[in-house]
Amino acid sequence: MKLNNASHKPLYLQLKEVIKEDINRGVYKSGQQLPPEGELCEMYGVSRITTRRAITELVEAGILQRQQGKGTFVTATKLKRELIAVNGFSEFLTQTGQLPQPQIISTALIEADKAIASPLQIAVGTPILQLKRLHYVNDAPLVWETVYYPLTRFPQLEKYIAESISTYQVLKKYYQVEPASNLKTLNVIMATQEEAELLRCSIGTPLYQIDKVAYDNTGSPFHSSSSLIPTDRVTFTINTGQNRSQ
């Protein structure tokens, strides 16, 4: 689409409006990277100076976000997530009408060290399934998660987990275990190079680090996890059970 050179409206303002319209129409989705500057110039028939000014003003308006060394992205819409919710991330997305997109990065059979064994109330050396996953929303990575499951309680879990989007559904179907409560610890850390690459953010981006131990209805811990989420993509809420109007 070429812009109107005969219009009294400056070309950079026309380009701003066109890009905003494209975002609203879903041409560029939340978290998606825009084409390179040179390609935008060709697409819209404008100079680099015009393109740069339009992009800069959209960044200043919070509609776009520059990531050093990577490019310009549509600012991801923030999700609202109840911090003390006991459901898994896939269940949460399903409840909000979105399609869960988990990607298993690796699975490993390891022995529990003290840091893993203590919260799970198991012996050091117990066989553990270590699962590393990325959770995507609208094709953009949102959560980098490392989870630990005791294989003495969940034999052959590595087999079943590859067949389902939700690990909680697997635990319910094959082992009759459902989450009843959890203990979470929330901290903020800065993204390392590896974490930045996985989550498509800049090195040093603030990340929520959520360490969790999940308990069943008997009060027994059945898995632990550590999740990393960019702070600009999620807002956590806490419902204490009081009147919401207060």
Side-chain angles (χ1 to χ4, degrees):
M1 173 183 176
K2 302 298 181 182
L3 304 185
N4 184 3
N5 288 294
S7 172
H8 294 297
K9 183 177 291 186
L11 288 175
Y12 80 90
L13 287 178
Q14 293 184 49
L15 182 56
K16 275 180 62 179
E17 291 177 359
V18 169
I19 293 175
K20 286 169 66 176
E21 288 175 6
D22 284 345
I23 292 171
N24 291 334
R25 290 190 296 114
V27 176
Y28 304 121
K29 297 179 180 179
S30 175
Q32 182 177 342
Q33 184 176 8
L34 259 64
E37 191 176 277
E39 190 174 328
L40 289 172
C41 293
E42 293 182 11
M43 288 170 60
Y44 299 107
V46 294
S47 68
R48 285 185 179 271
I49 292 175
T50 296
T51 301
R52 197 166 294 147
R53 181 169 181 181
I55 295 298
T56 296
E57 293 201 2
L58 289 170
V59 169
E60 291 173 350
I63 296 170
L64 298 178
Q65 183 179 42
R66 284 197 178 102
Q67 295 184 17
Q68 187 174 3
K70 295 185 178 181
T72 304
F73 295 78
V74 178
T75 300
T77 303
K78 271 197 168 187
L79 289 176
K80 281 191 175 182
R81 169 77 156 135
E82 176 64 32
L83 182 61
I84 57 177
V86 299
N87 60 346
F89 193 73
S90 294
E91 287 80 9
F92 161 69
L93 289 178
T94 300
Q95 289 172 4
T96 59
Q98 301 184 73
L99 179 65
Q101 298 172 288
Q103 178 185 353
I104 295 176
I105 303 300
S106 69
T107 57
L109 304 181
I110 64 174
E111 292 184 354
D113 59 16
K114 186 175 181 180
I116 297 172
S118 179
L120 291 175
Q121 299 175 18
I122 56 177
V124 172
T126 297
I128 293 288
L129 174 65
Q130 180 194 69
L131 174 68
K132 294 189 176 185
R133 294 188 299 186
L134 271 174
H135 291 275
Y136 288 77
V137 175
N138 295 325
D139 298 319
L142 180 68
V143 182
W144 170 231
E145 177 186 53
T146 303
V147 197
Y148 302 99
Y149 300 93
L151 290 174
T152 48
R153 185 168 186 182
F154 305 117
Q156 295 187 303
L157 179 59
E158 66 275 15
K159 169 188 171 183
Y160 300 128
I161 225 163
E163 301 171 355
S164 175
I165 288 177
S166 167
T167 53
Y168 278 8
Q169 289 178 2
V170 169
L171 298 181
K172 180 180 180 180
K173 178 179 179 180
Y174 294 101
Y175 306 98
Q176 293 73 56
V177 171
E178 293 188 68
S181 63
N182 57 54
L183 174 65
K184 292 180 180 176
T185 303
L186 176 66
N187 288 293
V188 175
I189 64 171
M190 302 303 159
T192 63
Q193 180 175 343
E194 178 188 11
E195 293 158 356
E197 290 174 356
L198 287 163
L199 292 167
R200 297 182 196 167
C201 62
S202 300
I203 296 173
T205 294
L207 305 176
Y208 291 119
Q209 178 180 300
I210 303 175
D211 296 323
K212 180 178 81 170
V213 182
Y215 299 85
D216 62 21
N217 57 10
T218 70
S220 298
F222 64 91
H223 87 79
S224 63
S225 66
S226 181
S227 301
L228 298 177
I229 309 170
T231 59
D232 61 352
R233 300 181 195 173
V234 173
T235 295
F236 286 106
T237 61
I238 299 177
N239 183 353
T240 63
Q242 296 177 345
N243 191 317
R244 292 185 181 182
S245 65
Q246 294 180 345

